[in-house]
Amino acid sequence: MLLFSLSDKHMPCWLFSLQRCLVELICGFFVASWTGVISYHGPQPSIRPKHVFVANHTSMIDFIILEQMTVFAVIMQKHPGWVGLLQRTVMESVGCIWFNRNEAKDREIVARKIKNHIQGADNNPLLIFPEGTCVNNHYTVMFKKGAFELGCTVCPIAIKYNKIFIDAFWNSKKQSFTMHLVQLMTSWAVVCDVWYLEPQNLKPGETPIEFAERVRDIISVRAGLNKVPWDGYLKYSHPSPKHTERKQQIFAESVMRCLEEESDKFILLK
Amino acid sequence: MGNTSSMLTQYDIEEVQEHCNNTFSQQEIVSLYQRFCQLDRSGGGFISADEFLSVPEFAVNPLSQRLLRMLDGLNFKEFVAFLSAFSSRATLQQKVEFIFKVYDLDCNGKVTFNDMLDVLRDLTGQFISEQQREQVLTHVLEEAGYKKDSLLVLSDFMKILGNSGLKMEVEVPVD
């Protein structure tokens, strides 16, 4: 328990390294428990300041697969139950940042925490899943721009599971994480490819949203995923009526335009 | 893997194909069945309004409430028949018939000025006034040779939309 209580910033360097190794080991065991056969491609991430990692998201095990190779600090939704316990103990030690989807003001608080984290040179590199939710590993949904407006280099990571062995998509609406894990552990193997891709910077004249889309392109192409233009949070709530209103507005404008053209024609003919 | 509901037999597929007048191929019907089962989360054999609204593009469609009235309680066979208007194999007549049914919500075979006004209201929302809507509709009807109190039937719709180059098509993805 010594490990878990030392999440203080002023840890001696060797202890920090030891902690990282132990977390990597724990994740390694976890991966072995569901017979994970993971192929890593590309250069292993180097820990450098002002570098943020982004990846497509399929299940909470994404984090463990990546964590096995390099210890990241990740941004995660706070969960109840035994997962919450693991979050509060093991993951607190690597500097993870929590958010709560259901809280309105949460975004600003999280944005501030992220900014603080990347300033710190000793902090573990930050891993963000810009989709904001688990997706079925066939598609990528819209990336949230938060990770792309930090003024950092963004290193994309693409993850693709081989569906022949097990569908690794965790549908949080259909089953709890425990059941999902049981399913994974009792399947033959979890086979997956991880690609560490070339770090990207914001190009001059590019907005964060364009940057996010460009990185989403890179990840989708590498992992063979289709890009879809909708927001991952639609899993949790219906689309805002604003979208419907926008469509109505476009139609109304074209109707009014036609009417004006007709009445102009009428005036001309007179 | 998700729930694999009862598999379709060859007889089932042929029955559905006949019911939709061969507007979908057998493979397309299998794909549609997979999608139907995915949407029918409660497993009731039909897709409820909420389950339809879980499809984002459907939820943002201004005509969604109208379409829900038409889709209410349809089983898979009827669902495929409903979608048949969107197939590339459907005739123009079938497509216009579908549009007519969207307007003729009370299914009495006649579309009144008010029916059309209702659809226009759904499509334009708060972005034009009721007066402007009536103005537009009256104008459109007069252009087509009808009066404000005319009752339109399917053949009228065919006449109006017959030459419009209507292309209402959807591709059903086949594995």
Side-chain angles (χ1 to χ4, degrees), chain B residues 124-140:
Chain B
T124 53
Q126 27 145 285
F127 297 96
I128 358 181
S129 70
E130 189 69 7
Q131 199 189 20
Q132 282 171 317
R133 271 194 280 266
E134 288 193 21
Q135 210 184 348
V136 165
L137 203 48
T138 318
H139 182 88
V140 167

Side-chain angles (χ1 to χ4, degrees), chain A residues 163 166-167 174 183 229-230 234 238-240 243-249 251-253 255-256 259 262-263, chain B residues 1-3 50 53-54 56-57 59-62 120-128 132 135-136 139 143:
Chain A
K163 236 182 149 172
I166 181 73
D167 184 0
K174 276 212 159 139
Q183 218 178 15
W230 57 76
L234 287 174
H238 285 311
S240 144
H243 293 103
T244 317
E245 282 168 21
R246 180 80 193 115
K247 284 176 181 272
Q248 286 173 326
Q249 190 178 19
F251 187 75
E253 281 168 12
V255 163
M256 290 317 290
L259 193 65
E262 285 298 310
S263 62
Chain B
M1 282 282 281
N3 56 334
D50 266 330
L53 290 172
S54 71
E57 287 102 326
V60 302
N61 189 323
L120 194 54
R121 197 178 305 117
D122 284 343
L123 289 171
T124 53
Q126 27 145 285
F127 297 96
I128 358 181
Q132 282 171 317
Q135 210 184 348
V136 165
H139 182 88
E143 280 262 297

